[in-house]
Amino acid sequence: MAGGKKKSFTLPSKLLKTLSSIWQDKHMVLFKAEYTFLVTAVLWFLEIGINIWVIQKVAYTEIDWKAYMDEVEGVINGTYDYTQLKGDTGPLVYPAGFVYIFTGLYYLTDHGQNIRLGQYVFAVFYLITLLLVFRIYHRTKKVPPYVFFFVCCASYRIHSIFVLRLFNDPVAMMLLFGAINLFLDGRWTLGCALYSLAVSVKMNVLLFAPGLLFLLLCEFGLWKALPKLSLCAAIQLVLGLPFLLVNPVGYVSRAFDLGRQFLFKWTVNWRFLTEDVFLSRYFHLVLLSAHIITLVLFALKRWKRSGNSIWSILTDPSERKETVHKLNIIQTVLVLFTSNFIGMCFSRSLHYQFYVWYFHTLPYLLWSGGVKKLAHLLRVLILGLIELSWNTYPSTNYSSLSLHVCHFIILLCLWLNPTPALPSQKLDNKAKRH
């Protein structure tokens, strides 16, 4: 009985102590990373109301939803030749995972006719994405809590992409952030499976692949990483099998078309170029070369600890002669986010819905830079200029140039970030078993 009374008083006393600590630090709640959970919880519940308000008060704009429904309807009607599947905006150019997920949405929304229900489904996707993103920031404690207001409530474009446009990009990114959370928990096999599923919705997720490959090699070595890489490939094969059996070349060339030509009128990042240069294959090769070179430089000079040879990460961890640093959650997230960001910097074209590809990663990248004197206000200003660039429609020479300037500053700060010291926050030991 006495023990029960003691227990009953312990919880309220701890709660009171926590509340007292928060009250004493009330002026610093928005600036101390240890209050990330508190601030993000408040913002997440606030976002429920914001999404309902946006859906009810702001007009829906039809762009790709009807085309998505036409494309999956073709599959439902028995067409498995990818070259024959199309919507009113063009042919189907997404992998098979997209078809299955949007087939589910097709039936859920009364053959795509119940747009309002579709908007609420995407609002749920948005809230799940925020939960996953906030968990990453809570685990890393890298960014001051006040920044999370800009990660959610302040972005008109991101709300529009989710609940006013119903693009497939948010679905892919939701799965991707789920995979990253699994990586941080040390569940690499399950994380790789979810990552591959994200790729099957839209292949922009492949921009994270170089970073993921580096992390897998660091953690497992080449031979133990191969089963996880094979799992990623097998999932793509299984999902695409009904289409591969009918027209394998048609499926691969449409679903994974790396040479797809984009329209100049939609570009956000290259408006200051002439259309001839924008469409030039030589220009595309220059961007691809710059992308690969930058990735290699970051892998060799920034992701890898100085003193370790690149060959050391290929060997089994138990057989390594050199001490290869263990992964920590801060480094894991930084490598993945940087890998994606480099791809964004050298993209042949960025359309408005592509903003969601890196929007939630930008604060982490800005607060991970090596320029310690880069003031908080300047970081917020960079976030604001990027948001303004993506909200300028149609894009202008100035909006495109300002976007590239912001990208360059972030990339430079990441380059100046010193190679991380031995980590104090290691991934879960169960990573070795998964």
Side-chain angles (χ1 to χ4, degrees), residues 340-398:
N340 179 64
F341 181 73
I342 291 170
M344 294 289 287
C345 289
F346 298 105
S347 175
R348 288 186 291 122
S349 185
L350 295 174
H351 293 179
Y352 287 95
Q353 65 268 33
F354 298 177
Y355 190 20
V356 77
W357 293 5
Y358 76 157
F359 170 78
H360 294 103
T361 73
L362 290 173
Y364 194 90
L365 295 171
L366 273 167
W367 266 264
S368 296
V371 182
K372 293 183 178 179
K373 293 184 179 180
L374 193 63
H376 285 254
L377 184 60
L378 183 55
R379 290 184 174 105
V380 172
L381 178 61
I382 291 171
L383 286 177
L385 285 174
I386 291 175
E387 177 76 16
L388 183 62
S389 299
W390 284 94
N391 279 309
T392 302
Y393 177 80
S395 61
T396 65
N397 292 345
Y398 296 112

Side-chain angles (χ1 to χ4, degrees), residues 200-218:
S200 77
V201 176
K202 194 162 186 176
M203 66 175 183
N204 71 280
V205 180
L206 287 173
L207 294 178
F208 291 86
L212 177 57
L213 176 61
F214 180 86
L215 294 173
L216 288 172
L217 292 175
C218 279

Side-chain angles (χ1 to χ4, degrees), residues 24-312:
Q24 288 174 4
D25 273 358
K26 59 184 179 294
H27 301 299
M28 297 302 295
V29 165
L30 297 179
F31 297 93
K32 286 188 175 182
E34 53 262 38
Y35 293 114
T36 295
F37 179 82
L38 174 65
V39 174
T40 55
V42 171
L43 289 173
W44 189 82
F45 282 105
L46 184 61
E47 274 289 356
I48 296 175
I50 291 174
N51 276 274
I52 293 173
W53 184 88
V54 170
I55 292 170
Q56 294 292 334
K57 299 296 183 180
V58 184
Y60 163 80
T61 302
E62 172 57 47
I63 297 181
D64 281 342
W65 174 258
K66 187 177 184 302
Y68 294 163
M69 296 297 102
D70 290 342
E71 289 159 2
V72 300
E73 192 171 52
V75 177
I76 292 168
N77 291 335
T79 302
Y80 288 91
D81 183 346
Y82 243 60
T83 60
Q84 301 302 313
L85 294 168
K86 60 182 180 180
D88 58 3
T89 59
L92 173 57
V93 292
Y94 309 117
F98 160 85
V99 174
Y100 301 129
I101 290 174
F102 276 80
T103 296
L105 293 173
Y106 174 87
Y107 286 116
L108 184 63
T109 59
D110 190 22
H111 299 184
Q113 298 302 309
N114 192 342
I115 302 293
R116 181 54 55 87
L117 178 58
Q119 288 181 278
Y120 278 107
V121 171
F122 271 77
V124 172
F125 291 163
Y126 177 84
L127 292 169
I128 292 172
T129 301
L130 268 190
L131 274 179
L132 295 169
V133 169
F134 285 159
R135 185 173 185 265
I136 293 170
Y137 280 103
H138 174 64
R139 291 285 302 276
T140 55
K141 290 183 171 57
K142 192 75 176 174
V143 177
Y146 75 86
V147 179
F148 300 124
F149 173 78
F150 303 101
V151 172
C152 52
C153 303
S155 178
Y156 167 80
R157 179 63 64 186
I158 294 301
H159 286 93
S160 173
I161 291 169
F162 272 88
V163 300
L164 297 180
R165 305 292 190 271
L166 311 186
F167 287 117
N168 63 332
D169 306 74
V171 181
M173 295 308 297
M174 176 180 67
L175 296 172
L176 181 276
F177 285 121
I180 293 176
N181 272 274
L182 288 169
F183 296 148
L184 298 186
D185 292 339
R187 303 184 66 85
W188 290 91
T189 301
L190 189 57
C192 285
L194 194 57
Y195 173 81
S196 186
L197 185 59
V199 172
S200 77
V201 176
K202 194 162 186 176
M203 66 175 183
N204 71 280
V205 180
L206 287 173
L207 294 178
F208 291 86
L212 177 57
L213 176 61
F214 180 86
L215 294 173
L216 288 172
L217 292 175
C218 279
E219 188 69 10
F220 301 103
L222 179 59
W223 289 111
K224 290 185 178 179
L226 282 177
K228 292 167 179 57
L229 297 173
S230 300
L231 175 64
C232 291
I235 288 172
Q236 295 301 319
L237 183 64
V238 170
L239 291 174
L241 194 59
F243 309 101
L244 290 167
L245 291 174
V246 174
N247 185 349
V249 175
Y251 174 72
V252 175
S253 64
R254 283 288 175 84
F256 298 97
D257 183 9
L258 297 175
R260 181 183 170 196
Q261 191 68 274
F262 294 101
L263 296 176
F264 182 63
K265 71 174 183 177
W266 294 116
T267 188
V268 174
N269 57 331
W270 296 116
R271 179 62 61 191
F272 55 87
L273 299 178
T274 65
E275 187 168 0
D276 289 339
V277 173
F278 174 81
L279 297 174
S280 170
R281 290 296 180 185
Y282 295 106
F283 175 60
H284 301 164
L285 286 173
V286 169
L287 289 175
L288 179 61
S289 300
H291 183 187
I292 293 172
I293 291 170
T294 306
L295 279 173
V296 170
L297 287 173
F298 267 84
L300 294 178
K301 301 295 184 181
R302 289 297 174 266
W303 298 346
K304 181 181 69 66
R305 274 183 60 80
S306 57
N308 292 146
S309 69
I310 193 65
W311 303 111
S312 63

